[in-house]
Every structure is written in C-alpha cells, then in structure tokens.
Amino acid sequence: MKVLTVCGLGQGTSLILKMNVEQALADKGISAEVEHMDVSTASTMQADYIITSNELAESLVEHSAKVFIVNNYFDMEEINNAIDENIES
C-alpha cells in the first residue's frame, strides 16, 4: 500500500504528518510505504491513499487514490481516527 502525505510546499508539515502516519500505521500493524510531498507532485503520483488538509484535498479530487482529511497534523487521535475510517487493514 502506498500513502502520500501532502502539504502546500511538500516540506515541513507533510514530513511531520508522514512521521505521525507511519507511527499510527505501525501501531495498527499496517504495512505501508509513506511519502511526503507537495500537492502538485502528489497529483501526478500513483498512490492508494492521500492524506492532506481540507483546503488541499479540493485540488486532488481527480486523483485515483482515496483522499482523506487530517486538519491537525500533530493530533495523533485525529490521525488514528482518520486511518480507522479510511484505510482497511
């Protein structure tokens, strides 16, 4: 499974989200390749899931991946809930 974490510039916040998503997936025993990037790069990448903010999700509606929202990239409870609701283990 491939997961993309996306922010506007693809550097700081998407990296933080990547690390938190990797931790949440590992805690659930879900194996995945997680990459962080900017929204324009993500629109051209193959993936199963894209995790991003509400504002950026609108730019990815045409993507074949399932796009879901995490607004607070530091909130492990929100990240875990989003994964539980959107990723099948």
Side-chain angles (χ1 to χ4, degrees):
M1 162 187 351
K2 185 163 187 176
V3 178
L4 306 180
T5 61
V6 177
C7 71
L9 298 175
Q11 297 185 8
T13 53
S14 64
L15 176 58
I16 291 164
L17 181 59
K18 173 189 185 279
M19 293 184 317
N20 288 336
V21 166
E22 286 175 328
Q23 182 63 53
L25 291 171
D27 289 349
K28 297 173 186 309
I30 300 172
S31 176
E33 176 186 349
V34 183
E35 292 185 46
H36 68 99
M37 62 194 57
D38 66 276
V39 70
S40 62
T41 303
S43 66
T44 65
M45 298 287 293
Q46 181 64 27
D48 300 300
Y49 300 96
I50 297 175
I51 307 172
T52 192
S53 66
N54 193 43
E55 298 81 26
L56 297 176
E58 297 172 10
S59 303
L60 297 164
V61 293
E62 302 285 324
H63 201 285
S64 62
K66 181 173 186 175
V67 179
F68 61 96
I69 308 301
V70 169
N71 287 306
N72 183 342
Y73 293 1
F74 296 94
D75 185 344
M76 289 304 292
E77 183 176 352
E78 181 181 0
I79 292 167
N80 277 298
N81 289 339
I83 289 170
D84 289 342
E85 294 170 6
N86 292 284
I87 296 181
E88 297 176 20
S89 52

